[in-house]
Amino acid sequence: VEDFSQEALVSALANNPTVALNSSEGGAIFGGMGFNPESRMKTIATINKAYSGESQVIIRKTTDNINLNGDQRLSVNIMIQKEVLLEVISKNISLFIDSGFLARFNICEPESLQGKRLIEGHTRMPEDALNEFTDKIYHLIEATFTYHSEPENKAMVLSFDEEAIEYWIKCHDNIETRLNTEFQAIRSSASKGAENIARMSALFHRNNRKLLS
């Protein structure tokens, strides 16, 4: 899904165990129907709740009620130029920052390769590496849909072992004690740091081919 309305997003979550908002051009999302002035607050609230796995009940007079029980999974991957993102944020500071919306994302800014993308002397990526990556992605998708095809199956829950939970607690407390000092300027993002560490750990763990059976 790229361009969507808030209502369509809720409907997709209600009818599918997993939904992905994917865009290689973020303007299609932030300039689309879901983020128009009339809808952006509802859309952000829906995504924020999906991030936390909160249940949502939507009651409409003219359509069937929708009950999201928290088992749905929403993935968001947006590529967008830095200048465009800053413009979007500057026009919606309270919604993007104060609501905690932006803090829920892991944001990265890769170094630009412009001026360095030479053909001569370039070493081509081995095809077996690309094929292995492609196979892993297909396997993950297939495993997800196969698992959720059985109505009795619930969302898989991963837990830290004792060593990992001890390390995670140290990370959490280290961040928490600095929210009013070093991290004060980014406290909304920092406050989500420990949770995002746990989420990334789960992704790395799930990406291990040995664990996909």
Side-chain angles (χ1 to χ4, degrees):
V1 180
E2 189 172 54
D3 187 6
F4 61 94
S5 67
Q6 184 267 348
E7 291 79 7
L9 176 59
V10 169
S11 178
L13 287 169
N15 292 289
N16 300 277
T18 59
V19 174
L21 299 180
N22 249 323
S23 178
S24 58
E25 187 56 64
I29 288 183
F30 294 123
M33 185 175 295
F35 280 86
N36 65 33
E38 294 77 25
S39 302
R40 63 172 67 111
M41 185 177 294
K42 293 190 298 181
T43 298
I44 287 176
T46 298
I47 294 175
N48 282 356
K49 285 194 170 187
Y51 169 94
S52 303
E54 295 181 41
S55 60
Q56 302 184 56
V57 178
I58 295 89
I59 300 175
R60 295 289 183 268
K61 182 178 180 179
T62 56
T63 60
D64 293 337
N65 297 339
I66 296 177
N67 183 13
L68 303 181
N69 58 14
D71 284 341
Q72 296 77 20
R73 294 295 176 263
L74 173 65
S75 297
V76 182
N77 177 47
I78 302 172
M79 289 184 276
I80 188 171
Q81 291 83 1
K82 179 180 179 180
E83 292 74 17
V84 177
L85 177 60
L86 291 176
E87 181 179 353
V88 171
I89 294 173
S90 68
K91 294 179 179 179
N92 303 277
I93 291 179
S94 61
L95 283 177
F96 276 68
I97 297 180
D98 296 345
S99 70
F101 175 72
L102 206 61
R104 287 167 164 78
F105 288 85
N106 291 303
I107 301 174
C108 62
E109 183 184 2
E111 180 182 353
S112 174
L113 295 178
Q114 288 185 343
K116 304 176 184 177
R117 298 169 292 187
L118 305 181
I119 297 177
E120 186 176 353
H122 175 70
T123 301
R124 186 177 180 181
M125 176 185 292
E127 288 192 9
D128 57 344
L130 181 59
N131 291 336
E132 181 181 354
F133 173 78
T134 302
D135 289 344
K136 182 168 289 188
I137 296 300
Y138 275 119
H139 191 61
L140 282 167
I141 294 173
E142 183 180 16
T144 297
F145 279 97
T146 300
Y147 180 83
H148 286 292
S149 65
E150 300 296 333
E152 67 272 12
N153 287 343
K154 299 298 182 181
M156 186 180 298
V157 177
L158 300 178
S159 301
F160 285 130
D161 59 25
E162 291 186 8
E163 182 180 1
I165 190 63
E166 182 179 349
Y167 184 79
W168 181 84
I169 289 173
K170 288 180 180 179
C171 289
H172 173 277
D173 291 352
N174 183 40
I175 295 172
E176 184 68 22
T177 55
R178 299 160 70 184
L179 289 180
N180 295 320
T181 53
E182 296 102 311
F183 296 153
Q184 186 168 13
I186 56 168
R187 60 187 303 170
S188 61
S189 294
S191 66
K192 293 283 189 296
E195 184 169 357
N196 282 335
I197 288 172
R199 290 168 181 266
M200 293 301 295
S201 299
L203 291 176
F204 290 134
H205 176 83
R206 192 74 175 90
N207 191 50
N208 187 331
R209 184 182 291 274
K210 298 177 182 178
L211 301 171
L212 295 178
S213 59

